[in-house]
Amino acid sequence: MVGFEFDAQGWLIRGGRRAPSPHADDRPNNALVDLVVIHNISLPSGCFEGSAVEDLFLGRLDCTSDPTFADLKGLRVSAHFFVRRSGEVLQFVGLYGRAWHAGMSEFQGRAACNDFSLGIELEGTDDLPYAAIQLSRTADLLAAARDCISSLRWIVGHSDIAPGRKTDPGPSFPWPIMLENLKERGCLLTRPST
Ligand SMILES: [Zn+2]
């Protein structure tokens, strides 16, 4: 697997595939981007093949193609990155843009976390073990992103900033391994005690 490199606009030029999403806009002026939000997604849940997640983020998912997709109709969401279980990385939104991943959320008294965060979706579920390569690729990705956005400081799960509403990345997400992977790369993000 090759390392990651971004262009001046915050899009990958190495290490992943760009798939620009229409579900994104600008961050507020002077937003201090200091947060990374870890999510999981798989469509249908527990299915780790096909293009449904990419299609959802690109606004082209056929919501009649699976009965569990019915409530996704009209949903406009995205994330900066999607890390598949193979280690493949897709980028939907540039680092400096606002991806629509967190929804109603709050971190350290600040609402609307999309304004000041990067959103990373790992292909998975709350209960199945993640693939080791997903964790190492995510750490590589975050180390490269932090070279572009030096204000990045915190890392949380979606459930940490939208408790009661969201459960991802779930009990199967190995926080100690993720934090160790980041540390090995000199990317010192902190998970605040909640
Ligand atoms: Zn989420």
Side-chain angles (χ1 to χ4, degrees):
M1 291 275 181
V2 293
F4 295 101
E5 192 181 338
F6 292 97
D7 67 15
Q9 285 71 47
W11 284 93
L12 282 171
I13 49 177
R14 203 157 57 92
R17 175 160 66 84
R18 304 179 189 197
S21 171
H23 305 159
D25 55 8
D26 293 334
R27 298 184 190 275
N29 285 337
N30 305 318
L32 178 73
V33 180
D34 60 358
L35 181 66
V36 172
V37 181
I38 301 288
H39 303 258
N40 74 42
I41 189 169
S42 48
L43 295 173
S45 182
C47 173
F48 303 137
E49 47 195 44
S51 63
V53 173
E54 178 175 356
D55 290 342
L56 175 68
F57 291 167
L58 295 180
R60 64 183 191 196
L61 179 67
D62 175 1
C63 293
T64 66
S65 62
D66 186 281
T68 65
F69 295 173
D71 48 358
L72 300 175
K73 196 170 176 347
L75 192 65
R76 300 191 71 207
V77 292
S78 63
H80 291 88
F81 303 102
F82 179 43
V83 182
R84 302 203 70 166
R85 300 179 82 79
S86 60
E88 184 195 5
V89 171
L90 278 75
Q91 182 176 20
F92 296 94
V93 179
L95 294 176
Y96 308 112
R98 178 167 66 177
W100 301 349
H101 59 95
M104 281 251 292
S105 52
E106 184 178 316
F107 177 70
Q108 295 183 339
R110 291 182 287 163
C113 296
N114 288 343
D115 290 354
F116 54 88
S117 66
L118 289 182
I120 303 195
E121 296 273 3
L122 274 64
E123 187 173 36
T125 71
D126 288 4
D127 302 310
L128 289 172
Y130 291 84
I133 192 163
Q134 289 181 289
L135 304 172
S136 60
R137 293 289 278 167
T138 298
D140 287 341
L141 187 57
L142 287 175
R146 194 158 182 261
D147 286 343
C148 301
I149 304 179
S150 58
S151 51
L152 285 175
R153 178 171 175 201
W154 306 105
I155 184 167
V156 296
H158 198 185
S159 56
D160 295 324
I161 58 169
R165 194 174 69 81
K166 292 292 177 180
T167 59
D168 62 315
S172 61
F173 190 75
W175 281 105
I177 296 175
M178 184 75 243
L179 295 172
E180 189 59 36
N181 274 333
L182 288 167
K183 199 167 146 192
E184 282 169 8
R185 289 156 178 81
C187 181
L188 297 179
L189 300 176
T190 303
R191 185 182 186 215
S193 43
T194 47

